[in-house]
Amino acid sequence: MLLDSFAYVVWIFLACLRSSIGLKPVDRIVGGKAIDIKMAPYQVSLHYDGGHYCGASIIDTHWILTAAHCFAKDEDPNKFSIRVGSTQHSSGGHMYKVFRQNIHIHKRYRQNGDNDVAAIYIEEPLLSKNGIEKPIKLLPANKTIPVGVVALVSGWGLIKPKNRNAADLLQGAEVPIIDTDDCKEMYSDYTITNTMICAGYEEGGIDACQGDSGGPLALNDVLIGIVSWGVGCAEPGHVGVYTNIAKVRNWIFETTKSVGVNIALSVSKLKQNDDEGTPCKPVKTGAYFARLIRE
């Protein structure tokens, strides 16, 4: 336990150091910059009926994590599949079928975005011998990420809010963690629960968008959030709202069991990632704005 605590402190120190000296200027526009899948080898494209629909993250040889709201409508569960190991959501890498019985949605998921997480078991191994796919570590339960630390959000969501086409190439952007009280003030007409974490710029310009739902918010190759919801697309006064991995970590462990090998933080494997990128945002479903590509 002492070693784990020390590793976490060192990891946070590295992250804070990076946020104070390593953040480069980025274009403050909706959209962003393309990144290679090697920068986010855990990234998954969740397809519905043959096209990109949501993002997801590889967390184990047979498991991926995404947002519960990706399955909250009337879609046929048998029409889902995933693509891994490719910078493009429409080609390359490897495709795998998703089966209805292997989709596990958090039982306490609510349409306001609370507990917005789902775990999917993929029957074929996701990590090929010659592939670039890699699982991402999970933030330990109840760990807190300091305000201002910069994380990487990635996905194939909309580059422009009025353009209904997903980005063909994987996009990524750096967004800082926002104080929860400040986030609650921004979303005074909504509910920010303890299973949520906020990230972005109050002045707008950089954010996640429709099509990024379920995708990763990562810090030094550790998953800290899942793209969940927001208002507008990179609009001033509204940052992105993510599922807080630290608050749903126990559910993930109980649901997957096999993910136990992924929870230990290994300082030797942590790396700093100064590359930049992009994202975008929402469609109103129920009481909040989910980040799905659909009307």
Side-chain angles (χ1 to χ4, degrees), residues 51-86:
H52 175 75
Y53 187 67
C54 275
S57 302
I58 300 172
I59 60 170
D60 190 65
T61 304
H62 289 275
W63 288 93
I64 66 172
L65 275 188
T66 188
H69 75 255
C70 291
F71 306 97
K73 286 293 182 178
D74 299 323
E75 291 83 359
D76 181 352
N78 294 313
K79 291 186 177 181
F80 283 100
S81 60
I82 65 169
R83 186 184 301 277
V84 300
S86 178

Side-chain angles (χ1 to χ4, degrees), residues 123-134:
E123 297 189 356
E124 297 180 66
L126 293 171
L127 311 179
S128 57
K129 292 182 179 180
N130 298 321
I132 62 174
E133 307 90 349
K134 293 181 180 179

Side-chain angles (χ1 to χ4, degrees), residues 11-280:
W11 177 67
I12 287 295
F13 170 76
L14 292 174
C16 291
L17 181 63
R18 173 173 175 258
S19 67
S20 63
I21 67 175
L23 179 59
K24 300 177 181 178
V26 292
D27 297 334
R28 295 299 181 87
I29 58 173
V30 174
K33 299 178 181 177
I35 62 173
D36 191 275
I37 190 65
K38 293 179 181 178
M39 289 180 57
Y42 44 80
Q43 178 80 48
V44 177
S45 173
L46 178 63
H47 286 217
Y48 181 74
D49 203 18
H52 175 75
Y53 187 67
C54 275
S57 302
I58 300 172
I59 60 170
D60 190 65
T61 304
H62 289 275
W63 288 93
I64 66 172
L65 275 188
T66 188
H69 75 255
C70 291
F71 306 97
K73 286 293 182 178
D74 299 323
E75 291 83 359
D76 181 352
N78 294 313
K79 291 186 177 181
F80 283 100
S81 60
I82 65 169
R83 186 184 301 277
V84 300
S86 178
T87 302
Q88 297 178 294
H89 65 77
S90 57
S91 63
H94 300 89
M95 291 287 295
Y96 299 94
K97 176 67 177 172
V98 172
F99 295 98
R100 177 195 300 263
Q101 67 271 22
N102 295 332
I103 300 173
H104 304 269
I105 297 174
H106 198 297
K107 292 182 178 180
R108 294 185 179 179
Y109 163 67
R110 298 292 181 268
Q111 281 199 337
N112 66 354
D114 197 27
N115 293 300
D116 191 7
V117 57
I120 304 174
Y121 179 81
I122 306 299
E123 297 189 356
E124 297 180 66
L126 293 171
L127 311 179
S128 57
K129 292 182 179 180
N130 298 321
I132 62 174
E133 307 90 349
K134 293 181 180 179
I136 188 169
K137 294 180 182 296
L138 301 179
L139 187 67
N142 298 315
K143 294 296 184 181
T144 301
I145 302 298
V147 172
V149 168
V150 177
L152 175 71
V153 59
S154 54
W156 289 274
L158 306 185
I159 295 177
K160 296 181 180 180
K162 295 182 180 181
N163 184 339
R164 304 304 299 174
N165 295 320
D168 186 49
L169 300 177
L170 181 62
Q171 308 286 303
E174 290 184 326
V175 289
I177 302 301
I178 300 297
D179 179 76
T180 300
D181 289 336
D182 291 341
C183 190
K184 288 181 178 179
E185 185 174 344
M186 293 181 203
Y187 285 104
S188 58
D189 293 334
Y190 300 83
T191 301
I192 301 297
T193 73
N194 69 348
T195 68
M196 302 174 189
I197 186 173
C198 301
Y201 297 89
E202 187 173 358
E203 64 270 30
I206 298 178
D207 203 353
C209 203
Q210 288 102 330
D212 291 322
S213 281
L217 179 67
L219 178 61
N220 291 338
D221 290 332
V222 174
L223 189 66
I224 65 172
I226 298 171
V227 178
S228 183
W229 64 280
V231 170
C233 247
E235 292 183 358
H238 290 101
V239 297
V241 183
Y242 301 78
T243 302
N244 189 342
I245 291 296
K247 297 300 184 180
V248 296
R249 180 66 185 83
N250 289 337
W251 176 86
I252 296 170
F253 182 81
E254 289 301 319
T255 301
T256 63
K257 300 297 184 182
S258 63
V259 185
V261 296
N262 238 1
I263 64 173
L265 287 174
S266 175
V267 175
S268 64
K269 293 183 179 180
L270 294 176
K271 66 178 182 179
Q272 309 228 357
N273 189 335
D274 292 327
D275 296 280
E276 304 166 8
T278 147
C280 34

